[in-house]
Amino acid sequence: MKPALPRDPLPHNTENTPSGQPRCDTIGGLAVDTRRCIMGLNDPQSARNPPIEVPMRAPLLALCVISAAMPAHSAAQKSDDFCRAASGVDMVDTSQIVTPEFLDKMREIGVTTIGRYFDYEDETITGKRLRAEELPLIASYGMSLVVVFQHNNNLAETFVDWKNRGPADAREALKLAAQFGQPDNGAIYFGVDGDFVGNGAIFHTDDVLGYFEEVNRTFDAAGVSYPVGVYGSGETCFTLIGEGLAGFCWLSHSHGFTGTPEALSAGAFDIEQFLHGTCGGRPVDFNKVNEGVTAFGQWMPQ
């Protein structure tokens, strides 16, 4: 069972963020009741995050208190340990084009969602960018799809260049979403694949915030309502969701990143990624959807 998270007795601040999403009340700059606010439950007209009943989140300071009173979360699990029938995982992400043979294996394991990448045509790994021919194949297996935009998002330089990369990445993501017929309630995650968010000069918190502000502005200017998700550390999730710049949290397998142990211990995430492994003849990352979470931005391809 997930722990009951503390509730803020104060009313929510309805001031809008630059993206037009309702800003949550904060303690020490971190959001309280973030999930209810970000997912639009305080604002039925929120276009970016439709109102769905999902667990609330707690501020990082409260999560530290909760996690201190709980058993420590174990180290990241290994994907290799789940390459077997009915292993209990929900999702797999892969940087290679899916095939019937691969999907046969994933169905045997119990996978119901495929994670694939949005990227530029000069993809950073051959086969990483989602192809149109994959969609009907995934659909034929009755599996849903989650997409994440990544193009050198493991480099701090990507976020230092947020004024250019934020709008450019958002436009490319929107182009692909339109090409693939992604429905309005399907999230587009953006990767922050490094320990870039935290307190202190060694971090790039303002750069990451600037990047996501530009992503949201670009989405708003295009008149779309795709929810924005973030893939990264616990602190990255807390910060961006607290600022109203993301609505879903996909924790990377790097459990040593800032805020990730607290997020895991408190159950304050949507998807948890396991360590890299090999299954179905290729490198994979298996993932587990958090207990009680049914909507994490997945969508059914056609």
Side-chain angles (χ1 to χ4, degrees):
M1 295 289 291
K2 289 186 292 185
L5 301 184
R7 303 290 193 258
D8 179 22
L10 299 176
H12 286 285
N13 182 353
T14 57
E15 173 192 359
N16 283 347
T17 65
S19 66
Q21 299 178 55
R23 186 183 299 278
C24 298
D25 292 308
T26 59
I27 294 177
L30 296 166
V32 178
D33 282 6
T34 303
R35 192 57 185 271
R36 179 171 292 276
C37 178
I38 298 305
M39 295 311 296
L41 295 178
N42 293 308
D43 179 9
Q45 303 305 314
S46 174
R48 176 78 67 245
N49 299 297
I52 57 175
E53 194 61 48
V54 288
M56 299 182 186
R57 301 189 190 276
L60 182 56
L61 292 177
L63 293 182
C64 292
V65 173
I66 293 170
S67 61
M70 298 174 60
H73 195 280
S74 60
Q77 300 188 76
K78 299 177 181 178
S79 290
D80 286 335
D81 295 338
F82 293 87
C83 188
R84 51 184 169 79
S87 65
V89 293
D90 304 302
M91 173 176 156
V92 65
D93 63 87
T94 175
S95 57
Q96 295 182 15
I97 299 169
V98 301
T99 63
E101 294 76 18
F102 176 71
L103 293 179
D104 283 341
K105 181 64 175 179
M106 294 304 104
R107 181 164 58 186
E108 174 189 318
I109 289 169
V111 165
T112 57
T113 301
I114 304 296
R116 289 288 281 123
Y117 291 91
F118 282 177
D119 195 355
Y120 293 102
E121 290 187 11
D122 61 332
E123 54 196 358
T124 54
I125 301 172
T126 301
K128 178 180 176 181
R129 191 178 197 235
L130 179 66
R131 268 59 167 179
E133 60 267 25
E134 295 180 75
L135 274 70
L137 181 58
I138 293 170
S140 72
Y141 281 77
M143 295 177 175
S144 60
L145 184 64
V146 163
V147 294
V148 54
F149 188 96
Q150 291 217 51
H151 185 86
N152 294 326
N153 287 46
N154 60 329
L155 302 177
E157 289 80 2
T158 293
F159 301 99
V160 172
D161 190 30
W162 59 268
K163 290 183 181 179
N164 295 309
R165 282 295 305 271
D169 291 0
R171 287 192 297 269
E172 187 68 18
L174 291 178
K175 182 180 79 173
L176 292 172
Q179 176 184 332
F180 298 140
Q182 180 168 334
D184 291 344
N185 63 347
I188 301 177
Y189 285 79
F190 289 82
V192 184
D193 201 4
D195 199 7
F196 300 146
V197 177
N199 294 320
I202 64 170
F203 293 101
H204 293 272
T205 302
D206 287 345
D207 296 327
V208 172
L209 284 168
Y211 176 94
F212 275 83
E213 285 172 354
E214 291 301 324
V215 165
N216 277 274
R217 285 193 182 101
T218 303
F219 278 27
D220 289 342
V224 299
S225 57
Y226 299 118
V228 173
V230 56
Y231 166 91
S233 71
E235 183 71 12
T236 301
C237 288
F238 299 141
T239 300
L240 292 172
I241 291 174
E243 289 296 321
L245 297 173
F248 293 107
C249 173
W250 181 356
L251 288 177
S252 79
H253 60 74
S254 300
H255 285 195
F257 282 177
T258 306
T260 298
E262 291 82 5
L264 288 165
S265 293
F269 61 92
D270 294 294
I271 307 169
E272 177 192 0
Q273 185 184 57
F274 298 164
L275 288 169
H276 300 309
T278 302
C279 190
R282 66 174 67 195
V284 297
D285 301 309
F286 284 120
N287 300 262
K288 186 71 178 173
V289 176
N290 199 2
E291 179 186 356
V293 172
T294 57
F296 46 95
Q298 77 275 31
W299 51 283
M300 296 302 299
Q302 301 297 318

